[in-house]
mmCIF file of all heavy atoms in Angstrom:
data_model
loop_
_atom_site.group_PDB
_atom_site.id
_atom_site.type_symbol
_atom_site.label_atom_id
_atom_site.label_comp_id
_atom_site.label_asym_id
_atom_site.label_seq_id
_atom_site.Cartn_x
_atom_site.Cartn_y
_atom_site.Cartn_z
ATOM 1 N N ARG A 207 3.139 3.883 17.780
ATOM 2 C CA ARG A 207 2.542 5.039 18.428
ATOM 3 C C ARG A 207 1.388 5.551 17.589
ATOM 4 O O ARG A 207 1.513 5.644 16.367
ATOM 5 C CB ARG A 207 3.596 6.133 18.578
ATOM 6 C CG ARG A 207 3.311 7.155 19.639
ATOM 7 C CD ARG A 207 4.613 7.727 20.247
ATOM 8 N NE ARG A 207 5.765 7.576 19.374
ATOM 9 C CZ ARG A 207 6.283 8.540 18.631
ATOM 10 N NH1 ARG A 207 5.768 9.754 18.645
ATOM 11 N NH2 ARG A 207 7.356 8.313 17.881
ATOM 12 N N GLU A 218 -3.466 14.068 21.559
ATOM 13 C CA GLU A 218 -3.106 12.923 22.389
ATOM 14 C C GLU A 218 -2.286 11.949 21.559
ATOM 15 O O GLU A 218 -2.574 11.752 20.380
ATOM 16 C CB GLU A 218 -4.383 12.243 22.905
ATOM 17 C CG GLU A 218 -4.135 11.191 23.959
ATOM 18 C CD GLU A 218 -5.409 10.783 24.715
ATOM 19 O OE1 GLU A 218 -6.483 11.378 24.458
ATOM 20 O OE2 GLU A 218 -5.306 9.886 25.553
ATOM 21 N N ALA A 219 -1.267 11.356 22.156
ATOM 22 C CA ALA A 219 -0.445 10.368 21.463
ATOM 23 C C ALA A 219 -0.020 9.309 22.454
ATOM 24 O O ALA A 219 0.173 9.594 23.640
ATOM 25 C CB ALA A 219 0.786 11.042 20.843
ATOM 26 N N GLY A 220 0.099 8.093 21.972
ATOM 27 C CA GLY A 220 0.524 7.023 22.867
ATOM 28 C C GLY A 220 0.487 5.692 22.161
ATOM 29 O O GLY A 220 0.316 5.631 20.947
ATOM 30 N N SER A 221 0.660 4.630 22.918
ATOM 31 C CA SER A 221 0.598 3.286 22.343
ATOM 32 C C SER A 221 -0.836 3.059 21.854
ATOM 33 O O SER A 221 -1.770 3.719 22.315
ATOM 34 C CB SER A 221 0.957 2.253 23.401
ATOM 35 O OG SER A 221 -0.068 2.212 24.377
ATOM 36 N N PRO A 222 -1.019 2.105 20.939
ATOM 37 C CA PRO A 222 -2.387 1.789 20.501
ATOM 38 C C PRO A 222 -3.298 1.469 21.692
ATOM 39 O O PRO A 222 -4.455 1.899 21.712
ATOM 40 C CB PRO A 222 -2.196 0.558 19.611
ATOM 41 C CG PRO A 222 -0.802 0.658 19.110
ATOM 42 C CD PRO A 222 -0.014 1.321 20.197
ATOM 43 N N GLU A 223 -2.775 0.772 22.688
ATOM 44 C CA GLU A 223 -3.600 0.423 23.856
ATOM 45 C C GLU A 223 -4.027 1.683 24.589
ATOM 46 O O GLU A 223 -5.185 1.827 24.980
ATOM 47 C CB GLU A 223 -2.819 -0.500 24.815
ATOM 48 C CG GLU A 223 -2.528 -1.891 24.252
ATOM 49 C CD GLU A 223 -1.455 -1.898 23.157
ATOM 50 O OE1 GLU A 223 -0.609 -0.970 23.128
ATOM 51 O OE2 GLU A 223 -1.469 -2.819 22.308
ATOM 52 N N GLN A 224 -3.077 2.598 24.791
ATOM 53 C CA GLN A 224 -3.423 3.853 25.477
ATOM 54 C C GLN A 224 -4.509 4.611 24.732
ATOM 55 O O GLN A 224 -5.476 5.079 25.323
ATOM 56 C CB GLN A 224 -2.182 4.747 25.604
ATOM 57 C CG GLN A 224 -1.232 4.331 26.699
ATOM 58 C CD GLN A 224 0.031 5.173 26.644
ATOM 59 O OE1 GLN A 224 0.653 5.320 25.591
ATOM 60 N NE2 GLN A 224 0.406 5.742 27.772
ATOM 61 N N ILE A 225 -4.321 4.762 23.427
ATOM 62 C CA ILE A 225 -5.227 5.628 22.673
ATOM 63 C C ILE A 225 -6.586 4.960 22.444
ATOM 64 O O ILE A 225 -7.622 5.591 22.583
ATOM 65 C CB ILE A 225 -4.602 6.014 21.310
ATOM 66 C CG1 ILE A 225 -3.295 6.772 21.533
ATOM 67 C CG2 ILE A 225 -5.581 6.830 20.468
ATOM 68 C CD1 ILE A 225 -3.418 8.072 22.294
ATOM 69 N N PHE A 226 -6.575 3.677 22.124
ATOM 70 C CA PHE A 226 -7.851 3.029 21.791
ATOM 71 C C PHE A 226 -8.589 2.502 23.020
ATOM 72 O O PHE A 226 -9.813 2.478 23.036
ATOM 73 C CB PHE A 226 -7.622 1.893 20.788
ATOM 74 C CG PHE A 226 -7.236 2.383 19.424
ATOM 75 C CD1 PHE A 226 -5.989 2.078 18.893
ATOM 76 C CD2 PHE A 226 -8.108 3.160 18.673
ATOM 77 C CE1 PHE A 226 -5.619 2.532 17.637
ATOM 78 C CE2 PHE A 226 -7.751 3.617 17.416
ATOM 79 C CZ PHE A 226 -6.502 3.307 16.895
ATOM 80 N N ASP A 227 -7.851 2.077 24.035
ATOM 81 C CA ASP A 227 -8.518 1.464 25.195
ATOM 82 C C ASP A 227 -8.688 2.428 26.362
ATOM 83 O O ASP A 227 -9.592 2.255 27.174
ATOM 84 C CB ASP A 227 -7.726 0.232 25.674
ATOM 85 C CG ASP A 227 -7.596 -0.824 24.587
ATOM 86 O OD1 ASP A 227 -8.468 -0.845 23.693
ATOM 87 O OD2 ASP A 227 -6.626 -1.603 24.621
ATOM 88 N N ALA A 228 -7.797 3.420 26.433
ATOM 89 C CA ALA A 228 -7.877 4.318 27.587
ATOM 90 C C ALA A 228 -7.557 5.760 27.198
ATOM 91 O O ALA A 228 -6.665 6.386 27.764
ATOM 92 C CB ALA A 228 -6.897 3.838 28.675
ATOM 93 N N PRO A 229 -8.283 6.296 26.213
ATOM 94 C CA PRO A 229 -8.003 7.679 25.817
ATOM 95 C C PRO A 229 -8.302 8.626 26.978
ATOM 96 O O PRO A 229 -9.275 8.420 27.702
ATOM 97 C CB PRO A 229 -8.963 7.912 24.644
ATOM 98 C CG PRO A 229 -10.052 6.923 24.825
ATOM 99 C CD PRO A 229 -9.433 5.728 25.480
ATOM 100 N N VAL A 230 -7.465 9.627 27.102
ATOM 101 C CA VAL A 230 -7.586 10.530 28.240
ATOM 102 C C VAL A 230 -8.396 11.768 27.871
ATOM 103 O O VAL A 230 -9.183 12.282 28.654
ATOM 104 C CB VAL A 230 -6.170 10.942 28.723
ATOM 105 C CG1 VAL A 230 -6.260 12.022 29.775
ATOM 106 C CG2 VAL A 230 -5.428 9.720 29.246
ATOM 107 N N THR A 234 -10.493 12.930 21.925
ATOM 108 C CA THR A 234 -10.127 11.591 21.448
ATOM 109 C C THR A 234 -11.296 10.637 21.645
ATOM 110 O O THR A 234 -11.661 9.867 20.751
ATOM 111 C CB THR A 234 -8.900 11.057 22.218
ATOM 112 O OG1 THR A 234 -7.962 12.116 22.389
ATOM 113 C CG2 THR A 234 -8.251 9.916 21.467
ATOM 114 N N LEU A 238 -13.266 8.612 18.704
ATOM 115 C CA LEU A 238 -13.309 7.145 18.679
ATOM 116 C C LEU A 238 -14.748 6.639 18.784
ATOM 117 O O LEU A 238 -15.106 5.645 18.153
ATOM 118 C CB LEU A 238 -12.442 6.563 19.802
ATOM 119 C CG LEU A 238 -10.940 6.801 19.620
ATOM 120 C CD1 LEU A 238 -10.168 6.359 20.862
ATOM 121 C CD2 LEU A 238 -10.406 6.071 18.383
#
Side-chain angles (χ1 to χ4, degrees):
R207 202 150 22 102
E218 190 165 356
S221 68
E223 293 72 24
Q224 283 174 310
I225 299 299
F226 290 116
D227 301 335
V230 172
T234 319
L238 292 172

